[in-house]
Amino acid sequence: MQISFVAPSNIAAGAWVVGATDGSVLLPAAVRADKASGGALTRALKSSSFTGKAGQMLEVLAPAGLAASRLLLVGLGKPESVDEKGLETLGAQIVARLYAGGETAASLEVELPKGSKVKKPEAAAHLVFGARLRSYAFDKYRTRNLDEYVKKLTTLRVVTSDTTAAKKAFAGLSAVADGIFLARDLVNEPPNILHPEEFARRAKTLLTKLGVKVEILGEAEMKKQGFGALLGVGKGSARESQLVVMQWHGAPKTKKAQPIAFVGKGVCFDSGGLSLKPGGGMMGMKGDMAGAACVTGTMLALAARKAKVNVVGVIGLVENMPSGDATRPDDVLTSLSGQTIEVLNTDAEGRLVLADALTYTQRRFKPKFVIDLATLTGAIVQTLGFEHAGVFSNDDQLVQRIQAAGRYTGERVWQLPLDPFYDKMIRSKIADMKNIGGGNSGAISAAQFLLRFIEKTPWAHLDIAGVAWQDGEQKPTIPSWGTGWGVRLLNRMVKEHYEN
Ligand code: BES
Ligand code: MN
Ligand code: ZN
């Protein structure tokens, strides 16, 4: 989809999209469209249930006297409740509607009503951001019936009085959309294609171009350094495990800013290992690298918009497979931190990967804080379902900032407790800890396990198992299985608090 920003002028061919607020109050462009079409909109309104509520639409095809192929009147709701998130949703809904109508081009002239809090250029930018997010598709493996999947809408003109300011506001969001699309692509890719080395290769190619320093540690190097927990997970796989370290230095040179750090679980396929998952539970486990995908997508977004921050992204990439050489339930592994772990269930592998990645990140970079993201437990899905990710933390300010960013972007998080009581659940009979809690509160005992690897660093853990992909109802801005969850949130958090 080609996006351009144009000043108001004669409306070109294609759809002319205009707005109305609650109570069917037509905004100026809608009034013009109505007049130009000899009152087509006011006539249509009389025989429609359209009231201008957010997301409502009224469509007039082939309006008489106009070059436009259709008029699309969209509801913005009450002026005071128009916000960035709502505009994104609206932009996505408009694109969906135009796709359904087979439209090829559109001019968006959706103005802000008086009394809304968003600034004008930002409003245009967020509307287009939503439109762009909706235009995502993962069709590369389809070879037949391609016409069913073709998105005809190829031209989107955004009509705004200040094109320069709108373009500038959109530039940053466009970078974020690129990051989200990368995260979605990685999650959607099948695991026979996207194994650890391929993931690492793609991260390196895409990020190096943008000025990110990317290092890849293979098995030999990790073995030398003592990544016993991470390597224990990849041991049964024919594919080589990888650790990818991405550094973006965007802060002004004068400020010797400590970096912030993001760590991601990258299990490219989770069969459960010797503690094999049943067939039903194994489906979708190509997405078990969504934490790593989010970190990689966020690094891309930050670099593409040249964020003034120093940030490191570290992802542990492995494949969890059974084999004669695989780690067994009852094995004891020595982690990079030196702590020993009794593996009682090889399907609780994500925490083993994160343990070593967290130790490495803290010891090498001494970050201001570290946030890890992982599709860590089925228990978090049972607890919070699909609407919230779980957050666990040793730092209240960090949690508040994550929650605020999530409210803004629509990626909501809910805090769950850490407590010495739960820590007792991972005591081992023979080692420093075991990798399962046993029985209840599985998302919490997993987080307690990670806490054992935190060395006085402010830390938050996001369990994203319920939000990283979607099987049921789709959100307007998320048209694919892989959601790209978290890229917007992390980007927002950086923008609000850590750029200088
Ligand atoms: N990757 C899974 C968690 C998961 C489950 C993510 C469902 C998304 C949807 C994780 O590695 C896992 O298998 N966790 C086990 C832990 C258990 C063995 C202690 C689980 O949740 O069942
Ligand atoms: Mn598992
Ligand atoms: Zn897993």
Side-chain angles (χ1 to χ4, degrees):
M1 200 166 67
Q2 279 279 348
I3 296 172
S4 59
F5 292 85
V6 300
S9 65
N10 290 336
I11 289 309
W16 187 7
V17 186
V18 293
T21 58
D22 211 30
S24 291
V25 182
L26 301 187
L27 291 163
V31 172
R32 270 195 288 122
D34 191 39
K35 280 203 185 120
S37 62
L41 280 179
T42 35
R43 268 199 309 281
L45 276 169
K46 282 194 193 114
S47 36
S48 144
S49 58
F50 183 96
T51 61
K53 280 210 187 72
Q56 278 186 350
M57 290 188 192
L58 174 70
E59 198 171 13
V60 178
L61 284 179
L66 277 181
S69 53
R70 73 188 70 211
L71 290 175
L72 183 61
L73 182 68
V74 300
L76 285 154
K78 293 196 166 54
E80 64 276 15
S81 44
V82 173
D83 62 6
E84 290 92 336
K85 199 171 51 182
L87 286 163
E88 289 166 13
T89 302
L90 189 63
Q93 288 166 330
I94 290 169
V95 166
R97 181 72 177 233
L98 295 174
Y99 278 160
E103 188 56 85
T104 54
S107 302
L108 285 187
E109 197 166 359
V110 182
E111 301 125 317
L112 266 190
K114 283 206 178 61
S116 60
K117 292 159 289 188
V118 192
K119 278 196 235 127
K120 216 169 158 188
E122 267 75 25
H126 282 276
L127 192 74
V128 189
F129 180 50
R132 172 106 199 277
L133 291 180
R134 178 67 187 213
S135 74
Y136 177 83
F138 191 77
D139 285 341
K140 65 194 276 198
Y141 295 109
R142 299 192 195 278
T143 65
R144 292 187 297 137
N145 305 331
L146 289 174
D147 48 331
E148 277 178 41
Y149 307 106
V150 172
K151 308 287 167 110
K152 294 201 174 78
L153 183 70
T154 51
T155 311
L156 197 63
R157 290 177 294 262
V158 188
V159 185
T160 169
S161 53
D162 193 346
T163 52
T164 317
K167 246 187 243 169
K168 201 173 151 209
F170 181 61
L173 289 173
S174 186
V176 179
D178 291 342
I180 294 170
F181 285 12
L182 172 59
R184 287 178 184 172
D185 279 349
L186 292 168
V187 172
N188 287 327
E189 278 285 3
N192 57 329
I193 304 291
L194 195 83
H195 46 79
E197 278 176 306
E198 174 62 15
F199 190 139
R201 216 163 18 235
R202 288 194 193 183
K204 183 159 188 159
T205 313
L206 294 168
L207 292 171
T208 306
K209 272 188 221 154
L210 296 169
V212 178
K213 184 177 168 202
V214 181
E215 297 158 275
I216 300 174
L217 278 65
E219 285 186 358
E221 181 59 29
M222 284 194 275
K223 198 164 179 192
K224 207 163 88 193
Q225 295 196 31
F227 284 71
L230 188 153
L231 291 172
V233 178
K235 199 151 169 284
S237 170
R239 303 290 188 179
E240 178 164 332
S241 302
Q242 311 266 282
L243 189 87
V244 182
V245 183
M246 305 167 265
Q247 298 179 61
W248 169 248
H249 297 284
K253 289 275 178 311
T254 45
K255 303 206 173 170
K256 268 227 169 111
Q258 236 180 319
I260 61 175
F262 302 131
V263 170
K265 167 180 172 181
V267 178
C268 292
F269 187 72
D270 181 12
S271 71
L274 285 174
S275 313
L276 199 65
K277 286 180 185 294
M282 211 185 287
M283 260 188 296
M285 280 304 142
K286 67 171 182 179
D288 208 21
M289 30 53 74
C294 172
V295 171
T296 310
T298 302
M299 295 302 293
L300 183 125
L302 294 175
R305 70 171 185 78
K306 300 197 165 47
K308 294 188 175 59
V309 62
N310 293 342
V311 47
V312 301
V314 175
I315 55 178
L317 301 171
V318 300
E319 186 184 47
N320 188 21
M321 297 291 269
S323 91
D325 193 34
T327 292
R328 293 158 285 258
D330 284 353
D331 279 359
V332 172
L333 303 175
T334 301
S335 68
L336 182 62
S337 73
Q339 301 179 89
T340 55
I341 304 161
E342 186 185 14
V343 176
L344 290 181
N345 188 322
T346 62
D347 198 11
E349 85 297 340
R351 64 200 73 185
L352 301 173
V353 174
L354 287 174
D356 281 353
L358 284 166
T359 301
Y360 181 84
T361 305
Q362 293 171 93
R363 292 189 179 171
R364 177 165 171 200
F365 296 105
K366 318 231 162 351
K368 220 175 329 214
F369 66 77
V370 59
I371 298 176
D372 77 69
L373 299 99
T375 48
L376 202 62
T377 67
I380 202 70
V381 190
Q382 300 219 318
T383 309
L384 296 174
F386 309 120
E387 199 46 44
H388 289 86
V391 62
F392 303 82
S393 179
N394 60 4
D395 188 279
D396 288 340
Q397 188 194 51
L398 196 55
V399 175
Q400 280 157 19
R401 289 179 171 185
I402 291 170
Q403 284 175 323
R407 272 193 298 273
Y408 176 87
T409 65
E411 299 161 311
R412 296 188 293 169
V413 294
W414 200 264
Q415 190 177 15
L416 291 165
L418 291 164
D419 191 284
F421 174 83
Y422 300 105
D423 187 66
K424 285 187 204 153
M425 296 173 77
I426 54 171
R427 283 182 185 167
S428 157
K429 290 196 178 77
I430 62 167
D432 296 335
M433 69 197 87
K434 54 180 175 158
N435 77 329
I436 51 170
N440 300 321
S441 53
I444 307 179
S445 49
Q448 287 293 158
F449 181 97
L450 299 180
L451 180 58
R452 297 258 188 138
F453 297 87
I454 297 303
E455 303 171 340
K456 292 191 189 128
T457 313
W459 156 77
H461 155 61
L462 290 166
D463 193 335
I464 61 170
V467 294
W469 57 81
Q470 51 180 11
D471 283 309
E473 198 193 336
Q474 291 188 343
K475 295 204 163 141
T477 53
I478 310 175
S480 85
W481 185 76
T483 59
W485 194 97
V487 175
R488 278 190 260 187
L489 187 155
L490 296 181
N491 173 72
R492 169 74 183 176
M493 217 186 136
V494 168
K495 190 158 183 252
E496 281 292 284
H497 300 291
Y498 302 104
E499 286 191 64
N500 48 34

